[in-house]
Amino acid sequence: MLSAIYSHELLFMFRTPLAWLLLGLCAALVAFQFLAQIEFYLGIADKLRNMERAPGVTELVVVPTLGFCAVLVMFLVPILSMLSIAGERRAGTVSLIASAPVSMWSFVIGKFLSLSTMFLMLWIIVAVMVFTLLWGTQLDLGLCLGGLLGLFAYTLAALSIGLGISALLSQPVAAGSLCLATLLFLWFCDWVGSANGEINFFSHLAASRHFNRLASGLFDSFDVVYFLVLVLLGLSVAHWRLSNEKYFG
């Protein structure tokens, strides 16, 4: 049943021009940012040669590009997630699914995997851009892999949060707005944590802090667990809401 839901959702998504439009637009924006960072690096290359322990192409091109991708994901996820469950509830199809002999976990995970597949395509495009630099320069592969891992983990966490919020609300616009507000808060709440130069609760809560640690090559299991908890939390909220709707109306 899970595979049937996954394939149905994936085919439905890519039969609409919205998915292709967003994927192409995001790829174009990432490519523009990538080329802009390369141009910036070439512009200061002469100054870097005279510096001791100067940052390399990985720090000045790859890491900023991956950070731009993470911000792009933050704005792209609400657009797609608000149509996944809240859009179906508004169309009246959620009640049909609730009355069918379908596990709510299968429905939620099928939705999650279909959205993840689309973002995986964008992640592959970004990874190919990054590794094309191997043709003309040396990359810090550990730093590149850490940044790609951070981007992948943050994307999955953002998608699960979007699905959870989409399951809670019946209006797609409200679901998208609340999802964007939540992702913005999780990304920028580190400003509160670092306001006094001290590490506090908001510092540990900030997704940007955990992403930047992975992108800087600091692999810590706590950062991986943080994103894993967000994924499980978002999917659990979606399952809880849909299960209540199925059994209690």
Side-chain angles (χ1 to χ4, degrees), residues 134-157:
L134 288 171
W135 291 343
T137 187
Q138 292 182 346
L139 291 178
D140 187 337
L141 293 180
L143 201 59
C144 292
L145 293 176
L148 290 171
L149 174 63
L151 178 62
F152 184 72
Y154 174 71
T155 301
L156 295 183

mmCIF file with all atom_site columns, all heavy atoms in Angstrom, residues 134-157:
data_model
loop_
_atom_site.group_PDB
_atom_site.id
_atom_site.type_symbol
_atom_site.label_atom_id
_atom_site.label_alt_id
_atom_site.label_comp_id
_atom_site.label_asym_id
_atom_site.label_entity_id
_atom_site.label_seq_id
_atom_site.pdbx_PDB_ins_code
_atom_site.Cartn_x
_atom_site.Cartn_y
_atom_site.Cartn_z
_atom_site.occupancy
_atom_site.B_iso_or_equiv
_atom_site.pdbx_formal_charge
_atom_site.auth_seq_id
_atom_site.auth_comp_id
_atom_site.auth_asym_id
_atom_site.auth_atom_id
_atom_site.pdbx_PDB_model_num
ATOM 1   N N   . LEU A 1 134 ? 35.833 19.862 -9.257  1.00 0.00 ? 134 LEU A N   1
ATOM 2   C CA  . LEU A 1 134 ? 36.982 18.955 -9.210  1.00 0.00 ? 134 LEU A CA  1
ATOM 3   C C   . LEU A 1 134 ? 37.770 18.982 -10.512 1.00 0.00 ? 134 LEU A C   1
ATOM 4   O O   . LEU A 1 134 ? 38.945 18.590 -10.540 1.00 0.00 ? 134 LEU A O   1
ATOM 5   C CB  . LEU A 1 134 ? 36.520 17.526 -8.920  1.00 0.00 ? 134 LEU A CB  1
ATOM 6   C CG  . LEU A 1 134 ? 36.035 17.242 -7.492  1.00 0.00 ? 134 LEU A CG  1
ATOM 7   C CD1 . LEU A 1 134 ? 35.414 15.857 -7.404  1.00 0.00 ? 134 LEU A CD1 1
ATOM 8   C CD2 . LEU A 1 134 ? 37.193 17.366 -6.509  1.00 0.00 ? 134 LEU A CD2 1
ATOM 9   N N   . TRP A 1 135 ? 37.152 19.419 -11.610 1.00 0.00 ? 135 TRP A N   1
ATOM 10  C CA  . TRP A 1 135 ? 37.848 19.466 -12.885 1.00 0.00 ? 135 TRP A CA  1
ATOM 11  C C   . TRP A 1 135 ? 38.940 20.538 -12.914 1.00 0.00 ? 135 TRP A C   1
ATOM 12  O O   . TRP A 1 135 ? 39.898 20.425 -13.667 1.00 0.00 ? 135 TRP A O   1
ATOM 13  C CB  . TRP A 1 135 ? 36.850 19.744 -14.017 1.00 0.00 ? 135 TRP A CB  1
ATOM 14  C CG  . TRP A 1 135 ? 35.918 18.603 -14.273 1.00 0.00 ? 135 TRP A CG  1
ATOM 15  C CD1 . TRP A 1 135 ? 36.075 17.310 -13.865 1.00 0.00 ? 135 TRP A CD1 1
ATOM 16  C CD2 . TRP A 1 135 ? 34.684 18.645 -14.984 1.00 0.00 ? 135 TRP A CD2 1
ATOM 17  N NE1 . TRP A 1 135 ? 35.007 16.546 -14.275 1.00 0.00 ? 135 TRP A NE1 1
ATOM 18  C CE2 . TRP A 1 135 ? 34.139 17.333 -14.972 1.00 0.00 ? 135 TRP A CE2 1
ATOM 19  C CE3 . TRP A 1 135 ? 33.978 19.654 -15.645 1.00 0.00 ? 135 TRP A CE3 1
ATOM 20  C CZ2 . TRP A 1 135 ? 32.930 17.023 -15.581 1.00 0.00 ? 135 TRP A CZ2 1
ATOM 21  C CZ3 . TRP A 1 135 ? 32.776 19.341 -16.254 1.00 0.00 ? 135 TRP A CZ3 1
ATOM 22  C CH2 . TRP A 1 135 ? 32.262 18.040 -16.227 1.00 0.00 ? 135 TRP A CH2 1
ATOM 23  N N   . GLY A 1 136 ? 38.777 21.603 -12.126 1.00 0.00 ? 136 GLY A N   1
ATOM 24  C CA  . GLY A 1 136 ? 39.734 22.696 -12.218 1.00 0.00 ? 136 GLY A CA  1
ATOM 25  C C   . GLY A 1 136 ? 40.404 23.083 -10.920 1.00 0.00 ? 136 GLY A C   1
ATOM 26  O O   . GLY A 1 136 ? 41.285 23.948 -10.918 1.00 0.00 ? 136 GLY A O   1
ATOM 27  N N   . THR A 1 137 ? 40.000 22.466 -9.810  1.00 0.00 ? 137 THR A N   1
ATOM 28  C CA  . THR A 1 137 ? 40.576 22.839 -8.521  1.00 0.00 ? 137 THR A CA  1
ATOM 29  C C   . THR A 1 137 ? 40.467 21.680 -7.550  1.00 0.00 ? 137 THR A C   1
ATOM 30  O O   . THR A 1 137 ? 39.892 20.631 -7.878  1.00 0.00 ? 137 THR A O   1
ATOM 31  C CB  . THR A 1 137 ? 39.844 24.065 -7.941  1.00 0.00 ? 137 THR A CB  1
ATOM 32  O OG1 . THR A 1 137 ? 40.516 24.514 -6.764  1.00 0.00 ? 137 THR A OG1 1
ATOM 33  C CG2 . THR A 1 137 ? 38.407 23.726 -7.609  1.00 0.00 ? 137 THR A CG2 1
ATOM 34  N N   . GLN A 1 138 ? 41.031 21.866 -6.376  1.00 0.00 ? 138 GLN A N   1
ATOM 35  C CA  . GLN A 1 138 ? 40.955 20.844 -5.338  1.00 0.00 ? 138 GLN A CA  1
ATOM 36  C C   . GLN A 1 138 ? 39.874 21.237 -4.331  1.00 0.00 ? 138 GLN A C   1
ATOM 37  O O   . GLN A 1 138 ? 39.834 22.380 -3.876  1.00 0.00 ? 138 GLN A O   1
ATOM 38  C CB  . GLN A 1 138 ? 42.301 20.679 -4.624  1.00 0.00 ? 138 GLN A CB  1
ATOM 39  C CG  . GLN A 1 138 ? 43.392 20.088 -5.498  1.00 0.00 ? 138 GLN A CG  1
ATOM 40  C CD  . GLN A 1 138 ? 44.690 19.893 -4.727  1.00 0.00 ? 138 GLN A CD  1
ATOM 41  O OE1 . GLN A 1 138 ? 44.864 20.421 -3.632  1.00 0.00 ? 138 GLN A OE1 1
ATOM 42  N NE2 . GLN A 1 138 ? 45.596 19.128 -5.302  1.00 0.00 ? 138 GLN A NE2 1
ATOM 43  N N   . LEU A 1 139 ? 39.049 20.276 -4.013  1.00 0.00 ? 139 LEU A N   1
ATOM 44  C CA  . LEU A 1 139 ? 37.981 20.493 -3.050  1.00 0.00 ? 139 LEU A CA  1
ATOM 45  C C   . LEU A 1 139 ? 38.281 19.756 -1.749  1.00 0.00 ? 139 LEU A C   1
ATOM 46  O O   . LEU A 1 139 ? 38.931 18.708 -1.761  1.00 0.00 ? 139 LEU A O   1
ATOM 47  C CB  . LEU A 1 139 ? 36.637 19.998 -3.605  1.00 0.00 ? 139 LEU A CB  1
ATOM 48  C CG  . LEU A 1 139 ? 36.021 20.766 -4.772  1.00 0.00 ? 139 LEU A CG  1
ATOM 49  C CD1 . LEU A 1 139 ? 34.740 20.095 -5.207  1.00 0.00 ? 139 LEU A CD1 1
ATOM 50  C CD2 . LEU A 1 139 ? 35.748 22.215 -4.394  1.00 0.00 ? 139 LEU A CD2 1
ATOM 51  N N   . ASP A 1 140 ? 37.783 20.329 -0.664  1.00 0.00 ? 140 ASP A N   1
ATOM 52  C CA  . ASP A 1 140 ? 37.785 19.623 0.618   1.00 0.00 ? 140 ASP A CA  1
ATOM 53  C C   . ASP A 1 140 ? 36.563 18.714 0.606   1.00 0.00 ? 140 ASP A C   1
ATOM 54  O O   . ASP A 1 140 ? 35.449 19.143 0.890   1.00 0.00 ? 140 ASP A O   1
ATOM 55  C CB  . ASP A 1 140 ? 37.711 20.637 1.761   1.00 0.00 ? 140 ASP A CB  1
ATOM 56  C CG  . ASP A 1 140 ? 37.869 19.983 3.130   1.00 0.00 ? 140 ASP A CG  1
ATOM 57  O OD1 . ASP A 1 140 ? 37.597 18.769 3.246   1.00 0.00 ? 140 ASP A OD1 1
ATOM 58  O OD2 . ASP A 1 140 ? 38.244 20.694 4.076   1.00 0.00 ? 140 ASP A OD2 1
ATOM 59  N N   . LEU A 1 141 ? 36.787 17.446 0.267   1.00 0.00 ? 141 LEU A N   1
ATOM 60  C CA  . LEU A 1 141 ? 35.661 16.533 0.086   1.00 0.00 ? 141 LEU A CA  1
ATOM 61  C C   . LEU A 1 141 ? 34.883 16.328 1.389   1.00 0.00 ? 141 LEU A C   1
ATOM 62  O O   . LEU A 1 141 ? 33.667 16.172 1.370   1.00 0.00 ? 141 LEU A O   1
ATOM 63  C CB  . LEU A 1 141 ? 36.163 15.189 -0.446  1.00 0.00 ? 141 LEU A CB  1
ATOM 64  C CG  . LEU A 1 141 ? 36.731 15.219 -1.872  1.00 0.00 ? 141 LEU A CG  1
ATOM 65  C CD1 . LEU A 1 141 ? 37.185 13.830 -2.294  1.00 0.00 ? 141 LEU A CD1 1
ATOM 66  C CD2 . LEU A 1 141 ? 35.708 15.769 -2.855  1.00 0.00 ? 141 LEU A CD2 1
ATOM 67  N N   . GLY A 1 142 ? 35.593 16.318 2.513   1.00 0.00 ? 142 GLY A N   1
ATOM 68  C CA  . GLY A 1 142 ? 34.902 16.180 3.796   1.00 0.00 ? 142 GLY A CA  1
ATOM 69  C C   . GLY A 1 142 ? 33.959 17.338 4.047   1.00 0.00 ? 142 GLY A C   1
ATOM 70  O O   . GLY A 1 142 ? 32.821 17.144 4.508   1.00 0.00 ? 142 GLY A O   1
ATOM 71  N N   . LEU A 1 143 ? 34.399 18.547 3.710   1.00 0.00 ? 143 LEU A N   1
ATOM 72  C CA  . LEU A 1 143 ? 33.571 19.732 3.893   1.00 0.00 ? 143 LEU A CA  1
ATOM 73  C C   . LEU A 1 143 ? 32.374 19.705 2.938   1.00 0.00 ? 143 LEU A C   1
ATOM 74  O O   . LEU A 1 143 ? 31.251 20.061 3.318   1.00 0.00 ? 143 LEU A O   1
ATOM 75  C CB  . LEU A 1 143 ? 34.414 20.987 3.661   1.00 0.00 ? 143 LEU A CB  1
ATOM 76  C CG  . LEU A 1 143 ? 33.906 22.303 4.257   1.00 0.00 ? 143 LEU A CG  1
ATOM 77  C CD1 . LEU A 1 143 ? 33.777 22.183 5.766   1.00 0.00 ? 143 LEU A CD1 1
ATOM 78  C CD2 . LEU A 1 143 ? 34.843 23.441 3.887   1.00 0.00 ? 143 LEU A CD2 1
ATOM 79  N N   . CYS A 1 144 ? 32.621 19.277 1.698   1.00 0.00 ? 144 CYS A N   1
ATOM 80  C CA  . CYS A 1 144 ? 31.534 19.199 0.717   1.00 0.00 ? 144 CYS A CA  1
ATOM 81  C C   . CYS A 1 144 ? 30.482 18.177 1.139   1.00 0.00 ? 144 CYS A C   1
ATOM 82  O O   . CYS A 1 144 ? 29.277 18.446 1.090   1.00 0.00 ? 144 CYS A O   1
ATOM 83  C CB  . CYS A 1 144 ? 32.094 18.831 -0.654  1.00 0.00 ? 144 CYS A CB  1
ATOM 84  S SG  . CYS A 1 144 ? 33.114 20.099 -1.418  1.00 0.00 ? 144 CYS A SG  1
ATOM 85  N N   . LEU A 1 145 ? 30.938 17.011 1.554   1.00 0.00 ? 145 LEU A N   1
ATOM 86  C CA  . LEU A 1 145 ? 29.995 15.963 1.962   1.00 0.00 ? 145 LEU A CA  1
ATOM 87  C C   . LEU A 1 145 ? 29.223 16.363 3.214   1.00 0.00 ? 145 LEU A C   1
ATOM 88  O O   . LEU A 1 145 ? 28.035 16.065 3.347   1.00 0.00 ? 145 LEU A O   1
ATOM 89  C CB  . LEU A 1 145 ? 30.741 14.649 2.191   1.00 0.00 ? 145 LEU A CB  1
ATOM 90  C CG  . LEU A 1 145 ? 31.345 14.005 0.936   1.00 0.00 ? 145 LEU A CG  1
ATOM 91  C CD1 . LEU A 1 145 ? 32.149 12.758 1.310   1.00 0.00 ? 145 LEU A CD1 1
ATOM 92  C CD2 . LEU A 1 145 ? 30.263 13.659 -0.076  1.00 0.00 ? 145 LEU A CD2 1
ATOM 93  N N   . GLY A 1 146 ? 29.904 17.055 4.142   1.00 0.00 ? 146 GLY A N   1
ATOM 94  C CA  . GLY A 1 146 ? 29.217 17.532 5.345   1.00 0.00 ? 146 GLY A CA  1
ATOM 95  C C   . GLY A 1 146 ? 28.143 18.548 5.009   1.00 0.00 ? 146 GLY A C   1
ATOM 96  O O   . GLY A 1 146 ? 27.035 18.513 5.559   1.00 0.00 ? 146 GLY A O   1
ATOM 97  N N   . GLY A 1 147 ? 28.444 19.460 4.063   1.00 0.00 ? 147 GLY A N   1
ATOM 98  C CA  . GLY A 1 147 ? 27.451 20.440 3.650   1.00 0.00 ? 147 GLY A CA  1
ATOM 99  C C   . GLY A 1 147 ? 26.274 19.815 2.925   1.00 0.00 ? 147 GLY A C   1
ATOM 100 O O   . GLY A 1 147 ? 25.123 20.188 3.153   1.00 0.00 ? 147 GLY A O   1
ATOM 101 N N   . LEU A 1 148 ? 26.554 18.835 2.068   1.00 0.00 ? 148 LEU A N   1
ATOM 102 C CA  . LEU A 1 148 ? 25.474 18.143 1.365   1.00 0.00 ? 148 LEU A CA  1
ATOM 103 C C   . LEU A 1 148 ? 24.621 17.332 2.331   1.00 0.00 ? 148 LEU A C   1
ATOM 104 O O   . LEU A 1 148 ? 23.395 17.261 2.180   1.00 0.00 ? 148 LEU A O   1
ATOM 105 C CB  . LEU A 1 148 ? 26.061 17.239 0.278   1.00 0.00 ? 148 LEU A CB  1
ATOM 106 C CG  . LEU A 1 148 ? 26.668 17.965 -0.925  1.00 0.00 ? 148 LEU A CG  1
ATOM 107 C CD1 . LEU A 1 148 ? 27.401 16.984 -1.830  1.00 0.00 ? 148 LEU A CD1 1
ATOM 108 C CD2 . LEU A 1 148 ? 25.583 18.697 -1.718  1.00 0.00 ? 148 LEU A CD2 1
ATOM 109 N N   . LEU A 1 149 ? 25.267 16.724 3.321   1.00 0.00 ? 149 LEU A N   1
ATOM 110 C CA  . LEU A 1 149 ? 24.513 15.997 4.342   1.00 0.00 ? 149 LEU A CA  1
ATOM 111 C C   . LEU A 1 149 ? 23.625 16.944 5.137   1.00 0.00 ? 149 LEU A C   1
ATOM 112 O O   . LEU A 1 149 ? 22.457 16.644 5.427   1.00 0.00 ? 149 LEU A O   1
ATOM 113 C CB  . LEU A 1 149 ? 25.469 15.261 5.281   1.00 0.00 ? 149 LEU A CB  1
ATOM 114 C CG  . LEU A 1 149 ? 24.831 14.564 6.492   1.00 0.00 ? 149 LEU A CG  1
ATOM 115 C CD1 . LEU A 1 149 ? 23.873 13.471 6.040   1.00 0.00 ? 149 LEU A CD1 1
ATOM 116 C CD2 . LEU A 1 149 ? 25.909 13.987 7.412   1.00 0.00 ? 149 LEU A CD2 1
ATOM 117 N N   . GLY A 1 150 ? 24.155 18.108 5.508   1.00 0.00 ? 150 GLY A N   1
ATOM 118 C CA  . GLY A 1 150 ? 23.363 19.094 6.237   1.00 0.00 ? 150 GLY A CA  1
ATOM 119 C C   . GLY A 1 150 ? 22.174 19.585 5.429   1.00 0.00 ? 150 GLY A C   1
ATOM 120 O O   . GLY A 1 150 ? 21.079 19.741 5.960   1.00 0.00 ? 150 GLY A O   1
ATOM 121 N N   . LEU A 1 151 ? 22.390 19.817 4.128   1.00 0.00 ? 151 LEU A N   1
ATOM 122 C CA  . LEU A 1 151 ? 21.293 20.259 3.269   1.00 0.00 ? 151 LEU A CA  1
ATOM 123 C C   . LEU A 1 151 ? 20.230 19.180 3.146   1.00 0.00 ? 151 LEU A C   1
ATOM 124 O O   . LEU A 1 151 ? 19.028 19.474 3.203   1.00 0.00 ? 151 LEU A O   1
ATOM 125 C CB  . LEU A 1 151 ? 21.840 20.621 1.881   1.00 0.00 ? 151 LEU A CB  1
ATOM 126 C CG  . LEU A 1 151 ? 20.812 21.054 0.836   1.00 0.00 ? 151 LEU A CG  1
ATOM 127 C CD1 . LEU A 1 151 ? 20.089 22.328 1.281   1.00 0.00 ? 151 LEU A CD1 1
ATOM 128 C CD2 . LEU A 1 151 ? 21.488 21.281 -0.517  1.00 0.00 ? 151 LEU A CD2 1
ATOM 129 N N   . PHE A 1 152 ? 20.644 17.932 2.992   1.00 0.00 ? 152 PHE A N   1
ATOM 130 C CA  . PHE A 1 152 ? 19.703 16.827 2.877   1.00 0.00 ? 152 PHE A CA  1
ATOM 131 C C   . PHE A 1 152 ? 18.900 16.650 4.162   1.00 0.00 ? 152 PHE A C   1
ATOM 132 O O   . PHE A 1 152 ? 17.674 16.491 4.132   1.00 0.00 ? 152 PHE A O   1
ATOM 133 C CB  . PHE A 1 152 ? 20.471 15.543 2.557   1.00 0.00 ? 152 PHE A CB  1
ATOM 134 C CG  . PHE A 1 152 ? 19.597 14.345 2.320   1.00 0.00 ? 152 PHE A CG  1
ATOM 135 C CD1 . PHE A 1 152 ? 18.849 14.228 1.167   1.00 0.00 ? 152 PHE A CD1 1
ATOM 136 C CD2 . PHE A 1 152 ? 19.523 13.327 3.265   1.00 0.00 ? 152 PHE A CD2 1
ATOM 137 C CE1 . PHE A 1 152 ? 18.038 13.121 0.946   1.00 0.00 ? 152 PHE A CE1 1
ATOM 138 C CE2 . PHE A 1 152 ? 18.717 12.221 3.062   1.00 0.00 ? 152 PHE A CE2 1
ATOM 139 C CZ  . PHE A 1 152 ? 17.972 12.121 1.896   1.00 0.00 ? 152 PHE A CZ  1
ATOM 140 N N   . ALA A 1 153 ? 19.580 16.704 5.305   1.00 0.00 ? 153 ALA A N   1
ATOM 141 C CA  . ALA A 1 153 ? 18.896 16.531 6.588   1.00 0.00 ? 153 ALA A CA  1
ATOM 142 C C   . ALA A 1 153 ? 17.926 17.675 6.864   1.00 0.00 ? 153 ALA A C   1
ATOM 143 O O   . ALA A 1 153 ? 16.797 17.452 7.333   1.00 0.00 ? 153 ALA A O   1
ATOM 144 C CB  . ALA A 1 153 ? 19.928 16.425 7.717   1.00 0.00 ? 153 ALA A CB  1
ATOM 145 N N   . TYR A 1 154 ? 18.345 18.903 6.563   1.00 0.00 ? 154 TYR A N   1
ATOM 146 C CA  . TYR A 1 154 ? 17.452 20.038 6.795   1.00 0.00 ? 154 TYR A CA  1
ATOM 147 C C   . TYR A 1 154 ? 16.227 19.966 5.891   1.00 0.00 ? 154 TYR A C   1
ATOM 148 O O   . TYR A 1 154 ? 15.111 20.304 6.316   1.00 0.00 ? 154 TYR A O   1
ATOM 149 C CB  . TYR A 1 154 ? 18.193 21.349 6.558   1.00 0.00 ? 154 TYR A CB  1
ATOM 150 C CG  . TYR A 1 154 ? 17.282 22.553 6.644   1.00 0.00 ? 154 TYR A CG  1
ATOM 151 C CD1 . TYR A 1 154 ? 16.765 22.963 7.872   1.00 0.00 ? 154 TYR A CD1 1
ATOM 152 C CD2 . TYR A 1 154 ? 16.908 23.249 5.503   1.00 0.00 ? 154 TYR A CD2 1
ATOM 153 C CE1 . TYR A 1 154 ? 15.909 24.044 7.958   1.00 0.00 ? 154 TYR A CE1 1
ATOM 154 C CE2 . TYR A 1 154 ? 16.053 24.333 5.577   1.00 0.00 ? 154 TYR A CE2 1
ATOM 155 C CZ  . TYR A 1 154 ? 15.557 24.725 6.807   1.00 0.00 ? 154 TYR A CZ  1
ATOM 156 O OH  . TYR A 1 154 ? 14.702 25.795 6.880   1.00 0.00 ? 154 TYR A OH  1
ATOM 157 N N   . THR A 1 155 ? 16.417 19.526 4.643   1.00 0.00 ? 155 THR A N   1
ATOM 158 C CA  . THR A 1 155 ? 15.290 19.415 3.716   1.00 0.00 ? 155 THR A CA  1
ATOM 159 C C   . THR A 1 155 ? 14.258 18.418 4.228   1.00 0.00 ? 155 THR A C   1
ATOM 160 O O   . THR A 1 155 ? 13.049 18.685 4.204   1.00 0.00 ? 155 THR A O   1
ATOM 161 C CB  . THR A 1 155 ? 15.785 18.986 2.326   1.00 0.00 ? 155 THR A CB  1
ATOM 162 O OG1 . THR A 1 155 ? 16.735 19.950 1.843   1.00 0.00 ? 155 THR A OG1 1
ATOM 163 C CG2 . THR A 1 155 ? 14.630 18.891 1.347   1.00 0.00 ? 155 THR A CG2 1
ATOM 164 N N   . LEU A 1 156 ? 14.710 17.260 4.701   1.00 0.00 ? 156 LEU A N   1
ATOM 165 C CA  . LEU A 1 156 ? 13.785 16.264 5.237   1.00 0.00 ? 156 LEU A CA  1
ATOM 166 C C   . LEU A 1 156 ? 13.052 16.798 6.461   1.00 0.00 ? 156 LEU A C   1
ATOM 167 O O   . LEU A 1 156 ? 11.845 16.571 6.622   1.00 0.00 ? 156 LEU A O   1
ATOM 168 C CB  . LEU A 1 156 ? 14.537 14.977 5.592   1.00 0.00 ? 156 LEU A CB  1
ATOM 169 C CG  . LEU A 1 156 ? 15.172 14.208 4.430   1.00 0.00 ? 156 LEU A CG  1
ATOM 170 C CD1 . LEU A 1 156 ? 15.820 12.929 4.947   1.00 0.00 ? 156 LEU A CD1 1
ATOM 171 C CD2 . LEU A 1 156 ? 14.145 13.896 3.353   1.00 0.00 ? 156 LEU A CD2 1
ATOM 172 N N   . ALA A 1 157 ? 13.774 17.510 7.330   1.00 0.00 ? 157 ALA A N   1
ATOM 173 C CA  . ALA A 1 157 ? 13.133 18.077 8.521   1.00 0.00 ? 157 ALA A CA  1
ATOM 174 C C   . ALA A 1 157 ? 12.088 19.118 8.139   1.00 0.00 ? 157 ALA A C   1
ATOM 175 O O   . ALA A 1 157 ? 10.983 19.149 8.695   1.00 0.00 ? 157 ALA A O   1
ATOM 176 C CB  . ALA A 1 157 ? 14.194 18.696 9.429   1.00 0.00 ? 157 ALA A CB  1
#
